[in-house]
Amino acid sequence: MTDSLPRHVAIIMDGNGRWAKGKKLPRIAGHRAGVDIVRKTVRACGKKGIDVLTLFAFSSENWRRPKREVTLLMELFVRALQQEVKSLNKNNVRLRVIGDMTALPPKLQKLIKKSVELTENNSGLTLVIAANYGGRWDMTRAAQRLAQKVADGQMKPEEVTEEMIQQHTCISELPEPDLFIRTGGEKRISNYLLWQLAYTELYFTETLWPEFEDDDFDAALASFASRQRRFGRTGEQVENA
Ligand code: FPP
């Protein structure tokens, strides 16, 4: 692995609805086509030796969509998991799910638990699915857990450090995202991994998610490889390091 390859890629898969509309299909057809691109992207990450891929499947705000679309999306998640988990396991992929699982349909919760347990000892790509996830939810939960520890006398308020907060956010044991990709033309973070994206390189493309093929992923990786990551230092310091 070289420095020019990100260890962790985090993606907002946007544009499924517009892709479907362009083809005069129902929105769910766009999400279905999106699953095929998820499969291809997971495969590409495994092949390239990327350690972590985090996908925003459903945000805390997505409940505001028409009820029917939400129901169909949940059914699609169930079906996709049922169909893919064996192949993920065979390919040494470790599945993780982040977000407030309690609001998901019980059937989906059970399937997630089973799939995560089945793959937890795999050592290849870690695939993190953000489902009913929000960056503010993540940080609020971290704050609540720390506040509880202070209230219980386990720590003092001044011991709440950046490291402490980091340790109480989701996926704190994984490397932070090196590269963020958003498809579909919008240039927003949309309450994704707010804490974790502090130093992440951002890449936006007009390509709609169902059309985000291997070439488009390669273009994003090439853009990442051409950037100099300074983490607050000067360009000279980085070059001489
Ligand atoms: C955003 O497109 C997409 C979503 C809210 C859902 C993403 C879900 C998938 C790609 C399905 C598969 C995922 C997994 C992990 C199995 P949009 O509907 O906002 O598109 P628009 O902006 O064009 O309306």
Side-chain angles (χ1 to χ4, degrees), residues 13-18 27 31 34-35 57 62 65 77 80 129 209:
M13 311 174 286
D14 199 9
N16 295 345
R18 276 165 288 159
R27 290 179 58 86
H31 298 314
V35 176
N62 283 150
R65 292 185 174 216
F77 294 148
I129 305 287
W209 178 251

Side-chain angles (χ1 to χ4, degrees), residues 12-21 27-28 30-39 42 55-59 62 65 69 73 76-81 84 95 127-131 182-184 186 188 208-210:
I12 295 187
M13 311 174 286
D14 199 9
N16 295 345
R18 276 165 288 159
W19 179 86
K21 195 170 174 208
R27 290 179 58 86
I28 191 68
H31 298 314
R32 257 185 236 125
V35 176
D36 293 337
I37 303 298
V38 168
R39 196 180 301 112
V42 168
L55 300 174
F56 210 176
F58 195 84
S59 76
N62 283 150
R65 292 185 174 216
E69 182 175 344
L73 258 176
L76 182 67
F77 294 148
V78 168
R79 216 168 320 128
L81 255 187
E84 306 295 337
L95 181 70
L127 172 62
V128 183
I129 305 287
R182 182 175 188 144
T183 62
E186 312 287 357
R188 285 194 286 273
L208 305 174
W209 178 251

Side-chain angles (χ1 to χ4, degrees), residues 41-212:
T41 308
V42 168
R43 207 175 291 148
C45 285
K47 233 186 254 167
K48 289 175 198 297
I50 289 167
D51 292 338
V52 188
L53 172 66
T54 301
L55 300 174
F56 210 176
F58 195 84
S59 76
S60 333
E61 291 74 31
N62 283 150
W63 297 107
R64 297 179 194 149
R65 292 185 174 216
K67 196 165 176 281
R68 183 167 162 74
E69 182 175 344
V70 172
T71 307
L72 289 174
L73 258 176
M74 294 298 157
E75 285 173 11
L76 182 67
F77 294 148
V78 168
R79 216 168 320 128
L81 255 187
Q82 282 171 337
Q83 281 168 3
E84 306 295 337
V85 70
K86 266 199 198 132
S87 150
L88 291 175
N89 193 35
K90 211 172 76 197
N91 287 290
N92 202 19
V93 175
R94 180 166 65 130
L95 181 70
R96 293 278 312 271
V97 179
I98 56 170
D100 182 4
M101 237 73 77
T102 59
L104 299 177
K107 186 176 176 186
L108 181 56
Q109 288 186 42
K110 263 189 227 145
L111 197 57
I112 287 173
K113 192 166 176 279
K114 218 172 93 185
S115 308
V116 168
E117 281 171 7
L118 177 72
T119 62
E120 70 187 346
N121 294 320
N122 289 344
S123 56
L125 173 74
T126 298
L127 172 62
V128 183
I129 305 287
N132 194 25
Y133 175 86
R136 289 181 177 177
W137 166 83
D138 192 353
M139 285 158 78
T140 305
R141 199 183 64 137
Q144 284 173 352
R145 289 181 168 182
L146 287 166
Q148 189 63 55
K149 286 189 179 167
V150 172
D152 291 348
Q154 289 175 34
M155 61 189 288
K156 298 194 185 99
E158 59 272 26
E159 287 168 352
V160 178
T161 57
E162 280 191 24
E163 286 72 27
M164 272 297 188
I165 296 175
Q166 196 270 342
Q167 281 169 25
H168 288 77
T169 50
C170 290
I171 52 170
S172 60
E173 72 288 10
L174 298 176
E176 287 177 2
D178 303 292
L179 172 64
F180 161 95
I181 300 173
R182 182 175 188 144
T183 62
E186 312 287 357
K187 295 181 178 65
R188 285 194 286 273
I189 305 287
S190 296
N191 199 19
Y192 200 21
L193 304 152
L194 295 179
W195 178 271
Q196 297 86 343
L197 289 175
Y199 287 102
T200 305
E201 294 292 331
L202 306 181
Y203 181 87
F204 298 94
T205 171
E206 295 293 321
T207 306
L208 305 174
W209 178 251
E211 295 177 338
F212 190 77

